[in-house]
Amino acid sequence: MTPELPPAVDVLVVGGGPAGLSAATWLGRYRRSTLVVDAGQQRNLPADRAHGLLGRDPTTPHELLAEARAGLEQYPEVVLHHGTVSSVRKDEAGRFCAVVDGVEVSALRVVLATGVRDRLPELDGIQDHYGTDVHHCPACDGPTAQDQVVIVLGSGDQVPAYAAELLDWADTVRIVTDTADPCFGEDQRAALADHGAEVVDGVAEALVGEPGALVGVQLAGGELVEGDKVFFSYAHHPTHELALELGCELDHEGGIVVNGFQLTSVEGVYAAGDITAGLQLVPIALGKGTAAGVACATSLRGHPTHGASPAPPTRRFRSG
């Protein structure tokens, strides 16, 4: 059963993925009363495996989250709530008022770890195959395509470079593209050919084969493009609605701008994980979450806090 929502906390963490749970862990270690609100929409949940975690390679996204949530139980100051934050505003006194599942919660600090949402290909069978033999991240899942035939789907001028990255592992890379896509002029096709990547003109319509035993991609005209795995690169959409409401500065891709301590342009608001610029990998998200949690916790030192958090010190250091 989800604990009752506290009316006031030191820190509100929005997002219960790797970045948010990492921030909450360190806030708990610093004994800061913390509410983590998790909508359960982590982008890697469909994946069979999460890779590249030191000492935990591989694991599953569900195992990783379960262990992180269990670890929070040692910190009584941290409350994990499964729900959504619909609004956050900053009042004249510098406190944050959030609406969590219709209930108002006050916080002294906010950590945004809301992540991004990927645009999936419009393919028959995508929900069954996604995370097993259809992937979006070459760095995460490229090694699983070693010596295999990979089909790349996507749109935009990033696709040729994206496809070339997969040649670090794949035996063959085939890009399926609409002939109307301006990103695949003669120069781009020649460059891809130099890298050993093939370009197939057509519109992908359906995945052929069972999950884990992919045969290929069927085009709108009925042609089968054979392949063992599919990688796609379309668009991903930052979940930055709360950041916009708070007035946080965003970069040209819609990510939240932060400094070296994960502090945004709004005093008291921190951000971590894929919602910020840089590599979008679980180990990176964990590190950013740690930085945000520590910086956020130490920013409260000497200030009145809530619950069981350390009170402002009444003693002063003396020298001599």
Side-chain angles (χ1 to χ4, degrees), residues 72-88:
L72 288 180
E73 294 178 1
Q74 65 186 297
Y75 304 113
E77 299 85 1
V78 179
V79 174
L80 176 61
H81 174 78
H82 297 284
T84 58
V85 179
S86 58
S87 176
V88 182

Side-chain angles (χ1 to χ4, degrees), residues 3 136 177 206 284 292 304 315:
H136 71 268
T177 179
I284 302 294
R315 294 173 293 177

Side-chain angles (χ1 to χ4, degrees), residues 178-272:
D178 188 337
T179 53
D181 193 331
C183 298
F184 289 90
E186 292 306 316
D187 291 343
Q188 287 79 11
R189 290 171 185 265
L192 287 166
D194 287 342
H195 284 291
E198 304 173 9
V199 178
V200 179
D201 293 318
V203 177
E205 189 173 71
L207 296 167
V208 180
E210 297 298 319
L214 187 71
V215 175
V217 172
Q218 180 179 317
L219 304 185
E223 177 186 354
L224 175 67
V225 179
E226 296 183 354
D228 305 298
K229 280 185 175 289
V230 170
F231 282 76
F232 64 89
S233 177
Y234 290 98
H236 59 257
H237 306 286
T239 312
H240 58 208
E241 290 79 8
L242 296 179
L244 285 171
E245 183 180 7
L246 288 164
C248 297
E249 180 184 354
L250 304 180
D251 62 23
H252 68 285
E253 294 184 337
I256 303 174
V257 175
V258 295
N259 66 11
F261 298 97
Q262 304 301 129
L263 178 65
T264 73
S265 60
V266 176
E267 190 66 31
V269 179
Y270 298 78

